[in-house]
Every structure is written in C-alpha cells, then in structure tokens.
Amino acid sequence: MGAKIFSNVYMIGAFSAIAGILFGFDIGSNSGVIGIEQYQVYFNRPNSLLQGGINGALSAGCFVGALISGYPADRFSRKYTLIGASFIFIVGAVLQAASNGVVMLCFGRVLAGISVGVTSMVVPLYQSEIAPKEIRGRIVAVQQWSITWGIMISFWIQYGCQYLNSTAAFRIPWGIQAVPAVVLCSGMWFFPFSPRWLADKGRMEEALQVLADIHGNGDKNHPRVVQEMEEISATIHFDTQVASHRYRDLLKPGIPYRVFLGVSLQIWQQLTGMNIIMFYVVFLFQQAGIGSSQEATLLSSGISYVVNVVMTIPAILFVDKWGRRPTLIFGALAMSAFLWIVGGILSSGEWYTNENGKASVNLNDKHKANGVVVCIYLFVAAFATSWGPLGWIYPAEIYPLRVRALAVSLSTASNWLFNWILNFVVPMLMEEIHYGLYLLFAAFNFLMCLHVFFAYPETKGYTLEEIDVVFENNPRKKIPREVMDKFMEERGIRRQEAKDARDARDAKDALHDEKSSGYAENA
C-alpha cells in the first residue's frame, strides 16, 4: 500500500509541491507583517528604500538559488536537491524568527531565498519529468496552487498574531515557515527519482522500474511504459552526440530561441504585477484609504489571498484542455483591463502626503474605493487561472533533456532577478508616480499578450520528447500526426500508433502481392 502511495503520480506531484508553500509562507507572512505596528516600531519604521531592501533580500537569494540549481539538479538528482534546499530554508526561517535587527533578518531572508530559488526551478522540472503528457500541466500547476495556499495560510496566521502586543506578532509567523520545510525534508526520501534523470545517468533499469510503478502499476511490459522508455532512450542516445550538460550547450542550434522564450515568460510573469501586489497589498490598500483600521486593511488584503487559492483550481482542472497559448493570451488581456480600471479610478482622487510621510489618495467616494478592491480581486483571479501556473508549466516543458535543468534554472533566475528589482523600485514608484504604477503594469500585460500570440507555440498534449518537432514547425498550427511520427522515427522511436498503422499497411501490401503472384501463376 505504501509503495503505491509513493508511486502515485498525483501524490508525487502534490508532495513535491510543498516546496511552493515555502515561498507562499514567506510572501504571506511578510506581506502582513510589514503593515503591523509591532514590526514598524521594532525595526524603527523602515523607509521605502530599506523596506524594499528587506523584501528584496529574499528575491536576491532566489536569484542566486535558481541560477546555481542546474548543477546539483543534474549532478545529484532532482530529489536530493529538493531535500538539501528544504534544509537551507529551515535555517533561514530560524534566523528570521530570532532576528535582532535588519542585518540578521536580511541574512535569514537571503538563505530562505536561496532555498526558494532552488525549489522553484527543481519542482516544476521534477513534476514535468514524472507526469504523463495528458496531465502534465495539471500536475505542475499544483506547484502554483501550493504557493497560493502558503500565502493564504501564513497571512491569516499573521492576522491572528497582530493582537499579540510583543515581537511575537512577527516572530511566530516567521518561525512557522519552517514547518513545511521540515515535512518536505523528511518525506521526500520516500519518493522516486526522476526517471529521465536516472536514464540520463545510465541507470536504465531503475528508470524503467520507476516508469512501471508510476504508469504501469508495476508492469514493465505495459505498452505505455515500453513506449515512454523507448522515447527516453532514443532521445538520450540522440542527445549524447551533441550534448555535454554545460551552459555552452544553450548556444547550440535551436536552443537559444527556446531559452529566450522561457526567460521572457518568467520575466513577463513578474511584470504582470501580481507578486508585487501580493507583497505590498497592505500598503496598496492603505494608500487607497481602504479600511478604517489596521484590522480592516489586513482583512481586505487577506481576502485577495483567498481569491488566489480558489481561482487557481480551474487552472489545475482545465489547463490541459484549454491549452497554453489561449490561457496566457486571455489572462494577460484580462489583467491589463483590470489594472487600467484601477489606475483610472485612483487618478480621479486627491493625492496627498499623510502623517507618516507616505503618499495617499482621498477618493471621496465609497463606491470608487469598492471599485478598486473589486478590480484588484478580479486581477488576482485572472492571474491565478493563467499566468500563475503557466509561468512554471511552460518553461519546464520546452527544453530537451540535455539542457533542461540548466535552461530552466536560467529562466527561473530571470524571474527572481526581476522580482528583486521590482521589490526595490515599487515602494518608491508608489510614492513618486502614484496611480501611474497600475497603468505601467497594465501596459506590460498588453505587451506580453502580443508576445505570446506571435512567438509562443502550443505544447499541450505532447510528450517532453516530442516538443522538439513543435519548434521546427509553425508555432500557431497544429502539428500533423504524420509529421510527428516521422520526426520521432528519425530518432529511433517507433510510436505504437505509427507501428500499428505500418503493420496494417505491410499486411495489406503482403496480401496484394500474394494475389498478384496468384494471378501471374494462373496466367
């Protein structure tokens, strides 16, 4: 029974996605903490630059972690890399909870960031290499869902802790972050290695057994297992002629364009403005005058996290039906529209500097304030069903095995680099350009919609080994089955359906030859 649990593809995907909770816990706890009086008093009311630096410490660590994660993921396995990263997060959480000043707090956040950077790259990679093509998007989307759960749970923990009249109001939320890391670090030992990593290391028998356990109920001769093993083996054999698992492989023909797409998608995901809204939603609502007290503002902010969790569910259920391209395009359009509306409403108010020296706006109309809240919630919903999960799904799909870990680490690092930059500049932009911040992100969302439409191919329904042919054809057209079969056979793979069709043609030709021979003898 236990073996079946640890080889169930949904269980594997869900447990590894606990790593997403690590990132979500940090966003949720810190987002709420920066708005409470206990934090502000203890850290001497950090200005916008210092607060950006505190938040940005996590992103800086994430950038480093994502950038260096390709080597351990290839060298030591996806599984062991996740275990090591979760241990680092535990140390970072302890340092944050025990911090006696900004320096120690930032050091703990950098360590936690390194862990999050590693896991944010390795988890989608691990999930995509284990999941069958029909539900690959669904499995990887669980990673984003776990992030939203982490954000929501930690925020409401912090919401309850605000009533503690001591530093425990922020130390408890920071310390609780270590709990999911302990679970991941201790439980990941029981789950399998990636079969594609095993095969790439020449451990074919182990890879076959993992595939059999996951896809064939333990039967190594199951047609699905045999076919997938043939595809993996042939792809590895083909790749060994041109590969060395080094960064220079990213410059070989056909690869730079894919790297550009993966890096661009991760950058665009940051430029949607969603993560910044998650970090600074308390400040945003305070700036707009929403909520008459600290408690009311936190409550309004917390609802956005609930929306984020609930609206990720449709993406998990339907992303493999909707397709990647339509989901990204319509999601970007919707987010752009809602941000234009928020910016328009805020532009109609009277801007002033409040008693804390922060820019605020007086909307003079309860309906306008409610309109801002509703549009922020709708924006969160649009992100949760589109760019949230697909920002992790797509880059993990589009690279060949020989460079997959390195390329995914590069694209993930670009995500965290822009997250770090935005964490620094957004607090200042909130003070300087006010409502223009929303219009800026609205414009970014429209531009990313155009980019996806013209440049990104559809990857739904293809195995990871079939993605190569997708990039050799028009990205906006469905690849004919015969073209795909021919491509795969050139690499020594005879797909089952192609084999059946060929056998039928051979039998028909043999029957025709037999009849022709009979006619000749009679003549």
Side-chain angles (χ1 to χ4, degrees):
M1 180 65 180
K4 287 188 176 181
I5 291 176
F6 296 125
S7 62
N8 180 279
V9 68
Y10 285 102
M11 187 64 185
I12 296 170
F15 192 87
S16 60
I18 290 176
I21 296 179
L22 307 184
F23 177 39
F25 260 44
D26 192 88
I27 291 180
S29 62
N30 205 56
S31 175
V33 159
I34 62 178
I36 65 174
E37 189 67 15
Q38 297 91 319
Y39 169 87
Q40 292 291 331
V41 171
Y42 188 82
F43 290 100
N44 298 317
R45 301 191 183 280
N47 58 32
S48 57
L49 180 62
L50 181 58
Q51 187 58 61
I54 294 172
N55 283 344
L58 178 85
S59 304
C62 289
F63 171 71
V64 174
L67 201 59
I68 65 175
S69 58
Y71 174 76
D74 270 340
R75 177 70 176 82
F76 303 110
S77 82
R78 291 40 165 155
K79 173 180 170 178
Y80 288 155
T81 303
L82 284 177
I83 293 171
S86 59
F87 178 78
I88 293 174
F89 191 91
I90 294 170
V91 177
V94 170
L95 288 177
Q96 290 179 72
S99 62
N100 57 5
V102 172
V103 174
M104 187 173 177
L105 173 61
C106 288
F107 185 68
R109 288 180 62 76
V110 167
L111 281 182
I114 291 173
S115 171
V116 170
V118 171
T119 58
S120 63
M121 171 276 191
V122 176
V123 170
L125 183 68
Y126 178 69
Q127 291 171 323
S128 67
E129 291 185 342
I130 281 185
K133 63 181 180 181
E134 294 83 1
I135 60 170
R136 186 174 62 242
R138 179 182 302 176
I139 296 299
V140 180
V142 173
Q143 158 79 350
Q144 175 63 21
W145 199 37
S146 69
I147 293 174
T148 65
W149 271 104
I151 294 172
M152 184 185 74
I153 293 172
S154 63
F155 182 87
W156 289 110
I157 289 173
Q158 189 280 317
Y159 179 81
C161 289
Q162 71 172 310
Y163 299 106
L164 299 174
N165 293 318
S166 67
T167 59
F170 56 82
R171 295 190 190 280
I172 290 176
W174 286 342
I176 288 178
Q177 294 179 96
V179 174
V182 170
V183 174
L184 182 66
C185 187
S186 57
M188 198 65 205
W189 294 95
F190 301 100
F191 288 89
F193 293 98
S194 161
R196 286 170 170 83
W197 178 84
L198 288 170
D200 192 45
K201 295 301 178 183
R203 297 158 65 174
M204 292 299 187
E205 191 60 32
E206 292 178 69
L208 180 60
Q209 185 60 60
V210 171
L211 287 174
D213 291 339
I214 295 174
H215 303 314
N217 200 26
D219 181 9
K220 295 182 180 180
N221 297 316
H222 190 283
R224 178 63 175 268
V225 175
V226 172
Q227 177 183 323
E228 190 159 353
M229 194 65 204
E230 285 180 354
E231 291 183 1
I232 293 172
S233 300
T235 299
I236 290 174
H237 177 73
F238 178 79
D239 284 349
T240 53
Q241 310 303 316
V242 294
S244 59
H245 288 279
R246 295 180 181 176
Y247 276 102
R248 64 169 175 260
D249 291 334
L250 300 178
L251 302 177
K252 292 185 175 180
I255 303 301
Y257 179 65
R258 299 195 213 183
V259 173
F260 170 72
L261 292 183
V263 168
S264 297
L265 192 77
Q266 291 277 354
I267 291 174
W268 283 130
Q269 189 194 47
Q270 285 299 322
L271 294 180
T272 61
M274 176 59 177
N275 281 345
I276 294 305
I277 285 179
M278 290 293 98
F279 266 120
Y280 295 110
V281 65
V282 175
F283 281 177
L284 293 174
F285 281 172
Q286 285 177 348
Q287 190 178 59
I290 296 164
S292 57
S293 65
Q294 172 180 292
E295 180 182 353
T297 302
L298 287 174
L299 182 62
S300 299
S301 306
I303 294 173
S304 67
Y305 300 132
V306 177
V307 173
N308 198 16
V309 170
V310 173
M311 294 309 297
T312 304
I313 296 175
I316 296 174
L317 297 177
F318 302 113
V319 69
D320 287 309
K321 295 182 180 179
W322 293 340
R324 289 23 168 179
R325 279 171 50 82
T327 306
L328 289 170
I329 290 171
F330 288 111
L333 284 176
M335 288 187 290
S336 180
F338 295 133
L339 289 179
W340 283 117
I341 295 172
V342 170
I345 294 174
L346 293 181
S347 69
S348 66
E350 298 176 4
W351 287 85
Y352 65 97
T353 301
N354 62 24
E355 63 275 10
N356 294 322
K358 304 288 186 180
S360 298
V361 60
N362 186 357
L363 294 175
N364 297 314
D365 189 336
K366 183 179 179 181
H367 297 297
K368 288 184 178 180
N370 290 338
V372 170
V373 173
V374 170
C375 284
I376 289 294
Y377 292 162
L378 290 174
F379 168 83
V380 171
F383 177 88
T385 55
S386 58
W387 283 78
L390 280 167
W392 304 109
I393 294 170
Y394 198 90
E397 296 179 322
I398 61 176
Y399 305 116
L401 180 61
R402 66 183 184 271
V403 297
R404 188 172 295 141
L406 298 177
V408 173
S409 73
L410 192 62
S411 61
T412 306
S414 67
N415 182 299
W416 292 117
L417 175 62
F418 271 72
N419 184 286
W420 177 69
I421 293 172
L422 291 174
N423 268 304
F424 261 114
V425 302
V426 164
M428 292 181 282
L429 291 177
M430 289 172 63
E431 300 298 319
E432 298 297 328
I433 65 174
H434 306 157
Y435 64 85
L437 179 66
Y438 299 91
L439 303 182
L440 178 64
F441 283 117
F444 283 145
N445 278 279
F446 183 73
L447 290 175
M448 68 184 69
C449 169
L450 296 179
H451 189 197
V452 171
F453 179 80
F454 287 109
Y456 284 75
E458 181 59 69
T459 58
K460 181 193 75 171
Y462 299 111
T463 67
L464 295 179
E465 286 69 38
E466 291 174 334
I467 296 297
D468 285 338
V469 75
V470 174
F471 282 89
E472 293 183 3
N473 291 267
N474 190 314
R476 292 184 298 279
K477 288 185 178 180
K478 183 176 176 62
I479 309 300
R481 187 73 266 169
E482 58 271 17
V483 173
M484 184 65 73
D485 291 337
K486 180 181 178 182
F487 173 86
M488 298 303 283
E489 286 194 43
E490 286 175 354
R491 281 151 178 75
I493 305 168
R494 294 190 67 186
R495 299 180 56 84
Q496 188 62 41
E497 54 267 37
K499 181 178 182 298
D500 293 342
R502 178 166 299 189
D503 289 345
R505 288 196 302 269
D506 291 344
K508 184 177 180 180
D509 291 342
L511 180 61
H512 180 269
D513 292 342
E514 184 178 338
K515 288 182 178 180
S516 298
S517 177
Y519 292 149
E521 290 177 1
N522 291 336

